[in-house]
Amino acid sequence: MNTKDIYREIINEHNLHPSHKGEINDPSYELDGVNPSCGDKIKLQFKIDENGIIEDAVFSGSGCAVSQASCDIMLDLVIGKTRDEAEKITEAFMRMIKGEASEEELEILEEAEALADIAHMPARVKCAVLGWRTMEKILKENRRETL
Amino acid sequence: MTNVFKNDFEILHDDKYIYFDNAATTQRPRQVINAVSEFYRTINSNPLRGLYKWSVESTQAYENSRRKIAEFIGAKDASEIIFTRNSTESLNLIAYSWGLNNIKKGDNITVTILEHHSNLLPWQMVSKVTGASLTYIECSPDGEISDEEIISRIPSNTKLVSAAEVSNVLGVRLPIEKISKRAHKVGAVMVVDGAQSAPHIPIDVKALGADFFVFSGHKIMAPMGIGVLYGKSELLEAMPPFLHGGEMIESVSRYDAVYAPVPEKFEAGTVNAAGAVGLAAAIDYIKSIGFDTISQREENLCRLLIEGIKTIPYAEYYGSKSAETHSGIVTFNIEGCHPHDVASILDTENICIRAGQHCAQPLHEHLGIPASARASMYFYNDESEVERFIEALKKVRSWLGYEH
């Protein structure tokens, strides 16, 4: 897919009409993510229940269409999943961006697989992974509390 | 290809591409590429060292470049020219060698809010290490600096003032003469960052009142990795070396060394002689085009581009309303479109622009914009490119999913 198609078919819709943009009042965890190459800043808020299931998650802040859309798609995928599953999905995404994901990994990425073409826009990889890196941090750093 | 100004630039012969990122780096004409290649093909040897013909010739070529640069910027003597890698290295040399040895707690350093990070971070470092204060001269939204601002932000305890001659974001020329006059009045040393001015206007370090002046070769069509530090003799003489090593000494004993005189004192290790030769060729080239032609063409292109942006709803540009104070640089935004997306989508039209904060984060904060897109033109760009650029810009919002 060329760049214009990536925008038209995936990015624009999630960027202009995101499903998970906003703020929640009582998040279990929240974390800011910054893309140093452009100064884009997003905030992720997660509500995780006692069984480790991601009940709700939102993002807020400003950023380019690639980072916003990638974040929205990511949250689509992980809401309702356990944190273990979310971590697996994140690993799969990171491997996909590097072009190293197995077929099995691509399958669990569902719609996010469409972002594989970001790998053809090397200048934009940092934008695409901003939300994912931030989520990875939330999941890893806050692991012990729910064990 | 009807634009004769592109003739010497092979990379620009393919009309498919529009290169509007000249403030980041310019293209090199064949005269520069040939000069570098000729150096390696005919006299390559380590200059300043060998006693044989090639080394003598490479030394001559290297020193001829130094003389040419001295003349180009109006230095009194060739020994006032130090070769570095780029403006950043030149500024760091001043900061480490002059700054850390002459600035102390209770002193002040003044910069402007328009600076590139390379002219901010070295002074932040000096301020942190020495405890000296760091003060900013602020500008109006169109980049103007008032006389009051210059006087009040350069207090009497100021030891060093550093300012860009031309802003890499707004393209505006700063009132360097006024700033240096005030700096000298309080006994401060004046540093001028010429990275964005040297490509566009004639430089006269004396008229500028510059005690130090720096610029990068690659922004004036020379190879990457060669840059210049000009410093007044008396300052350079009194400064300790920045880097220690080969070729910067007179004699070395086990526990001590006597340093070579200026400029060798500041050029430790094998130098970038081919780069210096390329820079000399670039200076010859820029003179053959002439600064009058360069400014005329840039002004015309800026005027057209600004007029074009004005016709696009949702588009706005920053800096002065008048095209002649843009130095070929037009920084802009399209409402609802992040500059990174604008740059990516223009890339699909083979248009090269810069997006982000252009290494000037404090200026973006000051102007109240998170990021911006920047089209920067040089004399070899032409009207048809500006027209194609504007046509593409008109479609950016629809490519990014907006109905209008």
Side-chain angles (χ1 to χ4, degrees):
Chain A
M1 234 192 302
N2 69 33
T3 302
K4 275 193 195 116
D5 291 336
I6 302 176
Y7 274 96
R8 195 175 52 237
E9 290 177 24
I10 312 142
I11 295 172
N12 289 344
E13 179 61 23
H14 282 279
N15 177 44
L16 300 175
H17 310 289
S19 319
H20 307 290
K21 192 161 182 176
E23 302 219 24
I24 44 181
N25 285 330
D26 49 347
S28 329
Y29 308 108
E30 78 175 42
L31 194 65
D32 290 330
V34 176
N35 180 353
S37 78
C38 59
D40 285 356
K41 225 181 194 173
I42 56 142
K43 180 160 83 179
L44 280 187
Q45 294 179 309
F46 273 64
K47 214 185 231 178
I48 300 179
D49 73 10
E50 64 274 15
N51 301 318
I53 289 169
I54 299 165
E55 275 184 281
D56 198 9
V58 291
F59 74 100
S60 54
S62 71
C64 64
V66 173
S67 72
Q68 299 271 303
S70 184
C71 225
D72 199 50
I73 291 169
M74 171 185 88
L75 296 183
D76 253 350
L77 264 174
V78 300
I79 293 170
K81 301 252 170 41
T82 65
R83 52 194 312 156
D84 280 348
E85 287 168 320
E87 272 191 48
K88 265 204 192 103
I89 293 170
T90 309
E91 275 167 35
F93 184 82
M94 295 301 185
R95 290 174 58 79
M96 178 191 75
I97 289 287
K98 289 187 207 146
E100 294 169 358
S102 66
E103 259 180 49
E104 194 185 323
E105 282 174 317
L106 290 178
E107 222 160 87
I108 63 166
L109 284 173
E110 298 174 33
E111 196 188 9
E113 194 196 332
L115 289 173
D117 286 299
I118 296 284
H120 304 309
M121 299 163 68
R124 305 305 300 280
V125 166
K126 276 184 192 158
C127 312
V129 301
L130 174 63
W132 296 81
R133 287 217 180 286
T134 312
M135 179 171 80
E136 197 179 26
K137 245 182 150 182
I138 288 182
L139 297 174
K140 287 214 164 110
E141 284 177 11
N142 299 299
R143 168 146 291 278
R144 210 188 283 157
E145 291 164 47
T146 51
L147 278 178
Chain B
M1 196 178 66
T2 50
N3 173 0
V4 294
F5 290 93
K6 282 188 180 178
N7 284 355
D8 294 324
F9 298 84
E10 191 186 327
I11 195 170
L12 301 175
H13 287 185
D14 186 350
D15 277 342
K16 199 168 92 179
Y17 292 96
I18 296 179
Y19 186 73
F20 276 4
D21 197 17
N22 292 288
T25 195
T26 50
Q27 299 299 342
R28 292 99 184 85
R30 69 183 157 76
Q31 288 83 343
V32 167
I33 295 168
N34 289 348
V36 173
S37 150
E38 196 190 331
F39 175 91
Y40 284 123
R41 282 187 292 106
T42 61
I43 56 168
N44 179 55
S45 55
N46 207 324
L48 312 167
R49 284 175 168 78
L51 300 169
Y52 48 89
K53 184 166 172 277
W54 286 348
S55 181
V56 170
E57 285 178 5
S58 69
T59 306
Q60 273 168 358
Y62 183 62
E63 294 304 328
N64 282 342
S65 302
R66 199 192 302 277
R67 276 192 287 278
K68 188 157 280 180
I69 292 154
E71 187 235 341
F72 182 62
I73 63 170
K76 232 170 38 201
D77 192 86
S79 67
E80 294 180 315
I81 303 300
I82 315 290
F83 284 114
T84 61
R85 279 190 302 143
N86 45 39
S87 301
T88 301
E89 187 176 302
S90 300
L91 290 163
N92 274 276
L93 193 160
I94 305 167
Y96 278 95
S97 185
W98 194 90
L100 291 181
N101 291 292
N102 291 281
I103 296 172
K104 54 185 193 312
K105 199 173 165 59
D107 291 341
N108 176 62
I109 302 166
T110 294
V111 294
T112 85
I113 193 68
L114 294 120
E115 300 314 310
H116 187 283
H117 294 165
S118 60
N119 197 23
L120 283 184
L121 271 60
W123 311 120
Q124 286 183 358
M125 180 279 292
V126 174
S127 155
K128 280 180 192 155
V129 171
T130 62
S133 56
L134 183 62
T135 305
Y136 282 85
I137 294 176
E138 316 265 335
C139 67
S140 69
D142 56 1
E144 294 283 319
I145 290 174
S146 70
D147 293 357
E148 297 74 47
E149 197 57 27
I150 293 172
I151 291 166
S152 66
R153 306 291 184 182
I154 305 179
S156 57
N157 63 334
T158 306
K159 284 287 172 322
L160 181 139
V161 178
S162 193
E165 187 176 7
V166 167
S167 155
N168 72 314
V169 177
L170 301 178
V172 66
R173 186 178 181 274
L174 277 63
I176 293 295
E177 293 82 356
K178 286 183 182 174
I179 298 173
S180 65
K181 202 173 155 199
R182 172 68 186 171
H184 291 149
K185 199 176 170 193
V186 302
V189 155
M190 181 72 201
V191 181
V192 180
D193 173 3
Q196 293 293 343
S197 60
H200 307 286
I201 48 178
I203 302 296
D204 180 350
V205 287
K206 215 170 138 210
L208 287 171
D211 299 305
F212 292 106
F213 182 89
V214 311
F215 69 98
S216 294
H218 73 96
K219 290 202 204 287
I220 64 163
M221 302 181 280
M224 291 178 176
I226 188 80
V228 170
L229 163 66
Y230 156 82
K232 276 193 179 151
S233 283
E234 53 269 36
L235 289 167
L236 293 175
E237 303 278 351
M239 283 157 61
F242 174 44
L243 299 171
H244 297 76
E247 251 354 284
M248 50 78 74
I249 46 92
E250 242 165 44
S251 64
V252 180
S253 59
R254 282 199 182 202
Y255 303 108
D256 210 357
V258 177
Y259 301 128
V262 174
E264 284 79 22
K265 181 169 80 176
F266 293 106
E267 295 180 356
T270 295
V271 297
N272 181 3
V277 166
L279 178 52
I283 287 173
D284 285 338
Y285 193 80
I286 214 167
K287 282 185 188 159
S288 76
I289 302 294
F291 281 113
D292 286 343
T293 306
I294 291 174
S295 328
Q296 268 167 26
R297 290 185 61 84
E298 285 171 359
E299 267 174 52
N300 178 45
L301 295 175
C302 271
R303 188 170 301 117
L304 265 179
L305 201 144
I306 288 172
E307 287 309 315
I309 284 185
K310 281 188 193 160
T311 66
I312 305 174
Y314 304 105
E316 66 166 338
Y317 70 98
Y318 306 105
S320 167
K321 298 282 164 277
S322 117
E324 55 267 30
T325 51
H326 273 268
S327 312
I329 295 172
V330 183
T331 295
F332 64 95
N333 262 317
I334 296 177
E335 202 188 310
C337 305
H338 191 285
H340 275 191
D341 298 311
V342 175
S344 282
I345 217 89
L346 288 177
D347 176 46
T348 66
E349 299 287 303
N350 301 309
I351 297 171
C352 317
I353 63 155
R354 176 82 190 262
Q357 295 167 331
H358 326 302
C359 298
Q361 227 172 308
L363 176 61
H364 276 80
E365 244 162 63
H366 178 67
L367 296 172
I369 43 176
S372 60
R374 179 184 72 186
S376 56
M377 300 168 288
Y378 207 22
F379 67 90
Y380 42 58
N381 291 118
D382 58 44
E383 296 184 359
S384 71
E385 292 177 326
V386 174
E387 282 160 20
R388 238 181 79 199
F389 171 78
I390 292 296
E391 283 316 302
L393 212 54
K394 281 180 185 163
K395 292 187 223 146
V396 163
R397 269 178 67 94
S398 80
W399 284 326
L400 292 177
Y402 291 95
E403 279 172 34
H404 302 290

